[in-house]
Amino acid sequence: MQKAADDLMGASSEVVQGCLNTPNLLRDLILQLIKDFQTAQIPLPLDAEVAYSFEGLCEHLVQVIELHLDKGGTLKNLLNRVDLTEKQIRKMIPNQLNAHLRSLAELIIKRELQKVVIRYWYRQTSENS
């Protein structure tokens, strides 16, 4: 499970969608996204009871981020809260972050899903001990 969590950052859309088809993972991912966006002071109107697709989540995040940037906001707090490294961002988005919001949304979802999967893995490990 730990290896699977590590591989999520480079995973295809299909692999991520497979994870999202697991109801508890999707719910916990949405709750994690809401929490981290709120901490970065960016409202994220998602419903933890809705079965979002990976594509749907990406589109939703792009809209929210665009609106935030249009209002003069920055992404520094969000990127720090999500815990995306500069190396991860540069690898996926070599220039002009604002021009590649779709790629950024994918990175955010994958990193947040990675957090959720790691939490599950540690929970299962401690329950089996």
Side-chain angles (χ1 to χ4, degrees):
M1 183 68 110
Q2 182 67 39
K3 176 85 170 102
D6 292 340
D7 292 342
L8 280 172
M9 292 306 289
S12 68
S13 299
E14 293 80 22
V15 170
V16 174
Q17 184 59 55
C19 291
L20 297 183
N21 290 337
T22 306
N24 289 337
L25 280 180
L26 176 59
R27 184 198 67 229
D28 289 353
L29 168 64
I30 292 168
L31 293 173
Q32 184 71 43
L33 284 165
I34 291 169
K35 178 181 137 193
D36 285 348
F37 270 71
Q38 283 178 341
T39 302
Q41 299 178 348
I42 302 173
L44 183 63
L46 289 175
D47 183 348
E49 302 305 316
V50 173
Y52 294 97
S53 68
F54 179 64
E55 293 299 319
L57 279 175
C58 285
E59 290 173 18
H60 197 78
L61 291 186
V62 167
Q63 291 172 357
V64 167
I65 292 169
E66 279 179 337
L67 181 63
H68 178 69
L69 291 173
D70 288 347
K71 291 180 179 179
T74 66
L75 298 178
K76 183 180 177 188
N77 288 339
L78 176 63
L79 298 177
N80 285 335
R81 183 64 191 165
V82 171
D83 194 27
L84 282 172
T85 66
E86 198 169 320
K87 182 178 178 181
Q88 290 170 318
I89 295 169
R90 295 272 181 245
K91 182 178 177 183
M92 187 84 165
I93 308 165
N95 56 22
Q96 294 186 340
L97 186 63
N98 292 1
H100 299 280
L101 293 182
R102 168 59 191 217
S103 296
L104 178 62
E106 288 182 20
L107 276 175
I108 290 170
I109 292 168
K110 288 176 181 179
R111 176 61 184 126
E112 296 286 58
L113 183 58
Q114 187 181 41
K115 289 180 190 180
V116 170
V117 168
I118 289 170
R119 200 173 304 129
Y120 271 31
W121 183 77
Y122 281 113
R123 190 178 308 143
Q124 287 178 343
T125 302
S126 66
E127 288 174 359
N128 293 334
S129 297

